[in-house]
Amino acid sequence: MLQRIRDNASGPLAYVVVAVITLVFGVWGIGSYFTPSADPVVANVGGTDITRNQLENAYQQRYQRLRQMMGENFDPSILDPQRLRATVLEGLINREVMDQYAQQAGYRVTDAALLGAIRNNTQFQQNGEFSPQRYRALLAQAGIAPAQYEASLRQDLTSRQLRNEITDSAFAAPAEVDQAYRLANQQRRLRYLAFDPANYRDGIEVSDADIQTYYDEHPDAFKRPERVKLSYVSLDRGNAAADAGEPDEQTLRTLFDQNKQQFGDPERRSGGFIRVPIGDNADTARDTVQQVASAEGDLEARAAADQGVDYESIDSATPADLPEAVANTLFELKPDTTSSPVKGSNAWYLVHLSKITPASEADFDDPKVQAQLKAIAEGQQTQQAYSDKSDRLESLAYEAPNDLKTLADELGLEIQTTDWITREQGAGIGQYDAVRKAAFTDAVLKDKLNSTPIQLGAERQVVVRVSEHEPATRQPLAEVKDDIRERVIARQASAKAQDAADAALEKAKAGTSLQTLAADGATLEQKGFVQRSDRQIDPRILEAAFNISQPSEDSPGFRVTPTRDGRIALVAVDAMREAPADEAGTPRERFASQQRQYMAGLEYAVLGEYLRTQTDIEINEDRIN
């Protein structure tokens, strides 16, 4: 048969077969190019992809850090999600560029260094010692595989080597430090006149013509923003659980066999141990533990006889309850025996085993075991049901893009609706910028199609479509007339305050004192000597004061500047001095260190900018948001 195939694998028939195969595989292969990826690439850096999931995770981390830093003052409305996401992407690109350079330059982290970093992480320690059980448990809670965490940590440590090398080699010249130190701690004698626009409102008349002119000149100032109402279906673990069903007995027995140790009581051991801290002198600690090991009596009595030796009893402990060195030793001893000295990471130990409580296995039919098994099985089935529905939701979003009913009927979901949502804000699912972004895309808004599935948290997805749309509309003049009147009055009052400050500036330059000028309705503030870092002074006033070139009593300097509270200030500086030693804001040694760190940061940033010019970087702007 094979020989016949070989003999006929030529001629017209062979060409026809090859053509058919090519067509079939070509059509099926081409389909993959038109099927959107569940995790599209937002940027490619030197051949390495940065995906939207990576960007979203980094964005959420940055968002949460900002939220924690600002506390009760956090206002999400002041954040521009699109700009923040672009900033986060730039950070990911810069990091990837530096990571690639570090690899190419030969920076490496040994297995020993990686292990040391893990063992020294206090999050993974128990009783001052690294705990493998805690390490695995914490990573499992975070949904991170140990291999994945260790690869990420190795990459971080490699990048840190490069940064540390630049930081350690950076320096600031003494003359440069001296000059910067003097400028940072320089003091200037500050006075200013404040002109409040509120004092200039009287007599301002605003006509209907003025209001009409302002309305006509600001067509975008009084618009009701474009808004939509959405219909949507939401898939999460809760509504996926309905399809999970009841686990059968075979499933429960399989789970029981796989997790017997979870339902029974593990082996426990009792006894005690003494601890000799190593401290700064390892030889002394070793000699001490050897003397205690050769002494008579039980461990508690030996510890009491020697200062600096601690004793701790062990009562029905598992390995996870003990320092690693103690656990490893205790669970190798026979009853009523004492170990030889055992060295841990920061102490020597003597360990005694007095009693073993054997491990016990739970009964499959125990009601408590059954409840635990059902909870595990239901969780697994719910997760599988959610995963299956999630895959089907993604397919249906493309296969049936013209309505939500097909998705709702097949997946057993309820079609829900939102209130009005704008591009900037909304309630319910409208609070998520990903939803608002999708709602105003051309495909959803103009073509009236379903959105692609939008991930909201780890285990929730929504598909939305526009049910109602209102374009941006200009509010009628009658509705905003009072607002315009107030704006015009405020503008004219501010202009009068500015004119008064400018006039006072000319008089001050001609020699008129600020006290005399204050009689015209301004408020005189005399602050004395201040520094650039003074938090009690309006930063705009400080900026104006320190931008005056070489002021003195004979030649005072003046500047006019708006303040943060809307007033206009005439700033006057007539003396400079260096801060006295007991008033200096920053000790010179610390300042020199800060200057070195500043220079190191500049060098690191310059290296990053140079490497970016040498790296092929492609950003898919349409996939960022």
Side-chain angles (χ1 to χ4, degrees), residues 195-264:
F195 297 83
D196 190 344
N199 297 331
Y200 299 89
R201 294 173 64 93
D202 292 345
I204 297 178
E205 297 289 341
V206 181
S207 66
D208 289 344
D210 294 331
I211 294 175
Q212 183 68 53
T213 299
Y214 190 94
Y215 183 73
D216 293 339
E217 290 178 349
H218 301 82
D220 295 328
F222 304 101
K223 278 190 173 182
R224 181 183 294 115
E226 181 182 21
R227 58 185 188 169
V228 296
K229 285 185 177 181
L230 302 177
S231 299
Y232 68 96
V233 292
S234 176
L235 173 66
D236 56 36
R237 279 178 60 92
N239 51 34
D243 293 347
E246 285 289 329
D248 56 31
E249 182 176 346
Q250 183 57 48
T251 299
L252 297 181
R253 285 195 176 277
T254 301
L255 282 174
F256 180 73
D257 293 337
Q258 293 173 345
N259 301 275
K260 280 186 178 180
Q261 71 282 0
Q262 178 177 338
F263 306 109

Side-chain angles (χ1 to χ4, degrees), residues 563-597:
T563 65
R564 276 189 170 180
D565 59 7
R567 297 182 297 170
I568 309 298
L570 170 58
V571 177
V573 178
D574 59 8
M576 294 190 308
R577 73 180 187 187
E578 291 190 21
D582 59 345
E583 295 182 18
T586 307
R588 190 185 184 288
E589 294 76 14
R590 183 152 57 94
F591 189 84
S593 175
Q594 292 173 353
Q595 283 294 104
R596 286 193 294 272
Q597 292 175 10

